[in-house]
Amino acid sequence: MSPRRTAVAIAFLYLFLGYLWISFSDRFVLTLAAESLYLTELQTYKGWAYVTVTAFLLYILAHRALQRERNLSERDGLTLLLNRHMFERELQSELTYADDNDQNLIVIIFNIDGFKQINSHVNLEAGDKFLIAVAGVLRESCHQQALIARFGGDEFALALPDARWPDDGLPLLQKIQRRINRLRVPELPELSFTSSAGVALYPRDGRSAEKLIDASTLALDEAKTNSRGSYKLFNAELSQVMSSRAKLLLDLKLALDHKQLTVVYQPQFCVQENRMTGVEVLVRWHHPERGIIPPSDFIPLAEQHGLICNITDFVMRTAIHELMETGLLYRDIQRVSFNVSAADFNGDESCDRFIANLSELPGDWSVIELELTESAALLNLEGVKQVLSVLNKKGVQVSLDDFGTGYSSLNTLRLLPIQEVKIDQSFVRDIVQNKQDAKLVRTILAMAKALHLRVVAEGVETHAQANYLINAGCEELQGFLYARPMAIDNLVIFIGNLNQQKRAQS
């Protein structure tokens, strides 16, 4: 019922009860003392009784209304945990007590890794139920004195009064992370979720609630950047790193707005046939002040802050335009590989984005290949599967990048429409000296052959590596030994030289 209707109902109920009171109480008083000298006094008592009853009812209504208002202002509406405002207020009180009594205190902020895929691929209700389950884990794991809050979205906070790190805090943190990892969404039972955490200590990292929350948030960002499902303890160096990262993020947004990113192309070869089989498109950022920024620095930042889809769109559109403008596409280049992120498959519009990016192609879409890592695929398996199924029907090929470094390689091959696997350069690097890497590579090649999958080995830098891979049965190689990533103008010259060599040999 709306507040207006509720207020009208209460008013009518009050009028009705008042009418009944006046009618029946007057008759009752007259029956008792119709001609008595006490009639006036009884009427006074009756009035006081009416005031007392209505005051009591008014107290109940006001108390409930104020309690509800307080809950709304202090509690998260979904989980009934403290909200951020009340957490800060209660934390400041705990800090005052800790300061007076020379106690320590720990602040931990949690974030559920990959939570968005629940909302994206099931529904909001399933996401809400999962958050309520996480809140239950926190309540059951912490002692009664702990402050527990939900800051919004999938971010939670804990404050542990009179606790020391690591003796008290670390076992609790690890227990919570294990329990969250065991939670499941009924609609996506194959998926498990990790949680990342940032930790700040009082009084070392700050003496106010605001500073401790900021410190633990910075530590959380660092933990999510380095490794999902981990935790990070705040330190002074981290503050400088995060400040630098914030500046880099701002510069990256400007670079996207002003089209300062560029693309380069690294050829892939079938060595036995002396033939270029395709190119992998890579993004580069030449910062006006800092020079070349490695992709390993800005790509994770873009993924973390929602910019990776913009980069993917830019790379795909730019590369297709350049390759078509130079006449290389379809004629000299039969396959163009693009790296994509798990975030590229989030949301209902992801499939439409890919289709829009490829809409300029004048011919068969089988010339396009999307590369994604196993870890990225498993972060958003349902979303990836749905989008790739649509694109695969249109001819787009799929490559599983960094194959063998994930934790569910065979399952990923089974679930996704994959035509190619790429052997990670970490295996190629020591393949000649490391017998274990050599065995893994041979296993991958045998499995790919059995499944009729194409195999590309990346990171080939020496003739010894190339010879071993060729003898093991790997048909396609990519690496500095054959060609470094190059801009479109250099690619035109490179392919021209290859064509001249072929004509000279023939």
Side-chain angles (χ1 to χ4, degrees), residues 261-410:
L261 300 181
T262 58
V263 297
V264 293
Y265 307 85
Q266 186 169 30
Q268 300 166 333
F269 293 89
C270 177
V271 180
Q272 291 177 326
E273 298 178 9
N274 193 27
R275 173 175 61 89
M276 192 177 82
T277 55
V279 293
E280 179 181 0
V281 184
L282 305 167
V283 65
R284 292 293 182 263
W285 179 17
H286 193 284
H287 193 282
E289 298 174 359
R290 298 174 55 179
I292 298 296
I293 305 293
S296 58
D297 285 353
F298 69 87
I299 292 297
L301 197 64
E303 289 180 324
Q304 187 179 349
H305 294 276
L307 300 177
I308 193 64
C309 294
N310 296 22
I311 293 178
T312 300
D313 294 345
F314 167 80
V315 169
M316 293 185 75
R317 290 174 182 269
T318 302
I320 290 172
H321 173 75
E322 289 183 352
L323 293 172
M324 286 174 55
E325 191 175 47
T326 55
L328 297 178
L329 194 60
Y330 295 107
R331 186 191 69 196
D332 298 292
I333 296 176
Q334 304 299 319
R335 188 175 71 234
V336 184
S337 300
F338 296 98
N339 292 284
V340 290
S341 164
D344 283 309
F345 297 90
N346 287 337
D348 297 333
E349 77 288 348
S350 56
C351 190
D352 294 334
R353 278 183 44 243
F354 283 115
I355 292 173
N357 292 336
L358 302 176
S359 61
E360 296 297 320
L361 287 171
D364 192 350
W365 283 20
S366 62
V367 74
I368 300 299
E369 181 177 73
L370 300 182
E371 290 187 17
L372 73 159
T373 63
E374 291 177 77
S375 56
L378 292 171
L379 276 175
N380 187 3
L381 188 58
E382 284 303 311
V384 171
K385 185 178 177 180
Q386 290 174 13
V387 175
L388 291 184
S389 296
V390 173
L391 295 177
N392 194 241
K393 289 176 183 177
K394 293 180 176 290
V396 175
Q397 301 183 62
V398 182
S399 173
L400 197 59
D401 199 6
D402 299 344
F403 187 74
T405 61
Y407 48 88
S408 188
S409 303
L410 291 173

Side-chain angles (χ1 to χ4, degrees), residues 110 112 130 133-142 171-184 192-195:
F110 289 91
I112 310 302
F130 189 84
V134 172
V137 167
L138 297 178
R139 285 193 184 96
E140 294 167 9
S141 302
C142 299
L172 176 63
L173 170 57
Q174 292 173 333
K175 175 184 175 182
I176 291 172
Q177 287 184 315
R178 285 195 301 269
R179 293 192 62 181
I180 290 176
N181 186 244
R182 288 198 291 266
L183 294 177
R184 290 293 183 273
S192 61
F193 297 86
T194 58
S195 59

Side-chain angles (χ1 to χ4, degrees), residues 47 51 59 71 82 104 107 120 136 185 190 201 204 258 311-312 323 333 344 419 423 426 431 467 475 498 506:
V51 170
Y59 167 78
N71 286 338
L82 294 174
N104 295 297
V107 173
S120 300
V185 178
E190 70 277 9
L201 309 179
R204 190 194 74 175
H258 295 94
I311 293 178
T312 300
L323 293 172
I333 296 176
D344 283 309
Q419 289 77 43
I423 300 175
S426 62
I431 194 171
N467 291 335
E475 296 181 353
L498 283 180
S506 62

Side-chain angles (χ1 to χ4, degrees), residues 186-236:
E187 295 84 352
L188 295 173
E190 70 277 9
L191 292 184
S192 61
F193 297 86
T194 58
S195 59
S196 301
V199 183
L201 309 179
Y202 170 85
R204 190 194 74 175
D205 300 326
R207 305 189 72 88
S208 70
E210 183 180 2
K211 286 186 177 180
L212 287 171
I213 291 173
D214 287 345
S216 52
T217 301
L218 288 174
L220 171 63
D221 290 342
E222 181 71 7
K224 289 164 60 179
T225 300
N226 291 341
S227 176
R228 291 173 180 265
S230 63
Y231 72 88
K232 184 72 177 179
L233 194 64
F234 180 81
N235 56 60

